[in-house]
Structures are given as structure tokens and as C-alpha cells.
Amino acid sequence: MTRPGDLQALQPPLGRLQIAPKHLLILLLPVAVLIASEYLLGTFGDTAVVVPDITLNQVSPLVELGARYKFLAALFFFAAVTITLTGIFVVELCARHTLRSIGYTLVGIVVVIAVSLSFSTFEPDWMPAGFESHYLLGDNLFRTALGIGKLPGCAPGGALAEACAGQGAFFAMKYLLNHVNILTSLSAAAIIAGMVLSLARPPKADLTTQDGLISEAHALQTAQETAQRYLYCSGVLLTTGMVLVLSWMSWPNAMIADDQVRAAHSGVINALSMFRGVTYSVLILSYYMPVSLILKVRIERFKRAASRVGQADLGTELEGFNINRIDSLDAFKSILAIVSPILASAIGSFADLSFLQ
């Protein structure tokens, strides 16, 4: 009889992991969610909304500058998070997977990046002309309110003087968001691919032997841990993304002198941020649920195989792998990670956040 303390000694080297190409089809699900979300906004939202009676006052340049610094802080933090998470994925991919698995994964990532950038850099033909997020909040407001902001590079003789063309801080917003969208697409694709790669497997174990069962248990535990890790990474990425979204959407709002106009525009910001939060949470669900269901099927198959060879009490024989234990706290953490973008948007919508005012 094998003791739990001997499991690691019996565990053979798993070798590099290989993802089945069919599992990479899961990458198409978040792409479908993104297309549906943007189509819904582009078709049934108002991309030509005009904010009425825009009036600025003498302190507006100072208010704009304060909001700009908050945006820059949110952007800098978001960029740091995206680079960190992407680096984690790259290291894990190169260290644990076969060259063929890496090749398949890179192809999938390129597809996801190409589609996501089409909504931030390139405009699909079926979208209304000029469809960009700031149009949903009033292009005239952003150009008027942010146009008074001064940039050193936009001054006569500056490096960006020609590109700015009198746009002021509006140019800074567009320029920085266009570049951070590349990081967003890359890191999101990496996180999604990392989740899918939790389904990658070493050479298939023989489930008719004790050693084979131990090897399979080890592989299943690793897969579960990987899926959970990338679920948390998804929550971190999309929640910090929501903070960035709220910071730029609220940038010109505080500069509106008229209280009624400012309050009405805040309502639009709150509603749109809620929509974005829901979209991000559905994105997480679109790739987490298929992966978790496939792992569930594998675990049940493993349990049946163990029962056939006389190891029905998995909680004792394979205690170190926790295959047979349902941890309600882990389930709660999973749910929290999925809905975290909605929570972030809800806080921004219904609470008085001083850092956005």
C-alpha cells in the first residue's frame, strides 16, 4: 500500500506539456463576446451624442491637469500590470510546453490580438463611422474640455507640435490610449491562452496502474492550480483595466461648470462603465467555464479509473493532491475573480470616488 508521503517519490517526471489544437478553439469564445459587445454599442448606442451647453470657467485648466495626472497614474499602473502578467505567461509557456504547443498557442494569440485591435485601432466596416469610446460620451466635450490642456511637446517647436495641431490634452489621451491598447490586447490574449493551456497534458498516463493514477492525479492538480492562477490574473487585469477606463471617461467631466449638465454626463459615464464591467466579466466566463468543465470531466474519469483498480478512497490514497475535496472558499474566490470587473464598475457608478472627481 502506498503511503501519502511516498507519492512524490513515485511521481515520474511529467515532461513538457502539449496542448491539443481543438482546445485552442476556446480562444474564439472571448472573441465572440467582444464582437457582440462592440456591435451592441455601435448599433444601439449613440456614437454621435452631443453634450449640450458646455461651459468652462477660469479654474478649468487646473481641474483638467488634476484629472490628467490621475489618468496618468492609472495608465502607468495598468501598463505595469499588463507587462508583469504577460511576462509570467511567457516564462511559463517556454518552461513547460513543447515547441509544437508553443507554436499552436502563438497562432491563437495572434488571432485574438488582431480581432481586439480591430476595435481600438482599426474600425470594422459594419461599425458606424468614427466609432470610438469617447464618441459614446460626447466627442465635443472631450475636444473642448481637454483642448485647453497644455503639453510641452505640443508647444511651437516641440517634438509633437505638428501632430498635436492644437488638440492639447485631447491628443495626449488619444495617443496614450492607442498605445496602451496594444499592451491590453497582448496581455489579455496571454491570460486567455494561459487559461486554455491548463488543459495541456504530458504523455498520457496508464490509468490501470497505481503509478499511472498518481501521475494523472499530479497532472490534474497542476491543471487546476494553473486554471485558478490565470483566473485570478484575469480578475487583476480587467479590474485594473476598469480603473483606467473610469479615469479617462471622467477626465473632462469635472470641468463642466453647469451642475445639471455635469450630473447628467456622470450618469452616462456610470452606465457605460457598468456595461464595460459586465462585458469584462462575461469575457472571463467565456473561457473559464469551458476549461473548468473539461477539467471536471477529466477528474471524474480519473476517479472511475481509480475505483476500478481498487483505490476508491481517493481522499486517503491521494490526499496530497486534493482531487476529491471541494473547497467552498476556493469557489468563492473564483466567483469573486469573475465578477471583479463588475464590482469595480459598480463602485465607480454608485459611490463618490474622490480620486475620479
Side-chain angles (χ1 to χ4, degrees):
M1 181 68 67
T2 304
R3 295 175 300 174
D6 297 331
L7 291 176
Q8 293 296 335
L10 286 175
Q11 173 61 37
L14 292 179
R16 287 185 174 265
L17 304 176
Q18 173 64 48
I19 187 68
K22 63 181 180 181
H23 293 318
L24 291 175
L25 294 175
I26 296 175
L27 294 174
L28 297 178
L29 297 178
V31 169
V33 170
L34 179 63
I35 292 175
S37 171
E38 298 304 317
Y39 176 80
L40 194 62
L41 277 180
T43 304
F44 299 102
D46 186 359
T47 58
V49 62
V50 175
V51 179
D53 301 326
I54 300 175
T55 55
L56 306 178
N57 53 41
Q58 60 182 357
V59 299
S60 292
L62 294 177
V63 176
E64 183 280 321
L65 188 59
R68 190 197 313 176
Y69 288 151
K70 294 169 186 176
F71 165 75
L72 293 176
L75 183 143
F76 190 68
F77 180 61
F78 179 73
V81 169
T82 58
I83 293 173
T84 300
L85 296 180
T86 303
I88 291 173
F89 167 77
V90 170
V91 170
E92 187 170 287
L93 178 67
C94 295
R96 299 180 57 194
H97 292 265
T98 65
L99 290 178
R100 179 178 298 181
S101 185
I102 293 174
Y104 289 153
T105 302
L106 291 179
V107 171
I109 288 177
V110 168
V111 172
V112 173
I113 291 176
V115 174
S116 60
L117 283 180
S118 69
F119 295 103
S120 57
T121 305
F122 310 104
E123 297 176 8
D125 293 336
W126 46 265
M127 282 292 185
F131 175 74
E132 293 182 57
S133 293
H134 69 86
Y135 283 95
L136 294 166
L137 296 168
D139 179 64
N140 68 316
L141 170 64
F142 277 81
R143 292 184 182 274
T144 300
L146 303 188
I148 64 175
K150 296 181 180 180
L151 299 177
C154 291
L160 301 174
E162 184 176 349
C164 288
Q167 298 180 75
F170 179 78
F171 172 82
M173 184 195 76
K174 291 276 294 177
Y175 180 85
L176 292 173
L177 287 179
N178 283 339
H179 283 77
V180 83
N181 280 334
I182 299 175
L183 282 178
T184 303
S185 299
L186 178 60
S187 58
I191 294 301
I192 296 170
M195 176 71 74
V196 175
L197 287 178
S198 66
L199 299 175
R201 309 188 69 172
K204 192 171 182 180
D206 182 2
L207 298 184
T208 62
T209 66
Q210 187 182 61
D211 286 356
L213 287 170
I214 294 173
S215 179
E216 180 69 3
H218 188 278
L220 286 172
Q221 185 189 35
T222 300
Q224 287 181 303
E225 292 172 350
T226 300
Q228 201 75 3
R229 179 167 62 255
Y230 280 102
L231 176 63
Y232 296 152
C233 288
S234 299
V236 170
L237 176 66
L238 296 181
T239 300
T240 54
M242 276 304 307
V243 173
L244 176 61
V245 168
L246 286 168
S247 70
W248 77 256
M249 287 197 304
S250 302
W251 189 344
N253 180 262
M255 301 170 60
I256 302 175
D258 188 280
D259 292 339
Q260 290 186 331
V261 175
R262 184 170 64 251
H265 188 259
S266 294
V268 179
I269 293 174
N270 294 340
L272 186 56
S273 66
M274 179 63 74
F275 183 89
R276 293 297 188 190
V278 170
T279 298
Y280 294 163
S281 293
V282 174
L283 273 172
I284 297 176
L285 278 173
S286 69
Y287 56 85
Y288 174 70
M289 290 306 297
V291 170
S292 63
L293 290 174
I294 292 173
L295 289 178
K296 178 67 174 177
V297 170
R298 289 182 180 178
I299 291 172
E300 293 302 321
R301 185 170 58 231
F302 164 76
K303 291 179 180 180
R304 290 194 298 269
S307 178
R308 285 195 296 268
V309 297
Q311 288 185 312
D313 188 6
L314 300 180
T316 300
E317 287 296 325
L318 301 174
E319 182 179 359
F321 295 107
N322 296 323
I323 292 297
N324 206 34
R325 182 171 62 87
I326 299 176
D327 191 335
S328 58
L329 181 59
D330 286 343
F332 174 76
K333 291 177 181 177
S334 299
I335 295 172
L336 185 62
I338 292 171
V339 303
S340 56
I342 295 180
L343 294 178
S345 64
I347 291 173
S349 299
F350 302 115
D352 182 14
L353 294 182
S354 60
F355 69 94
L356 293 178
Q357 299 300 321

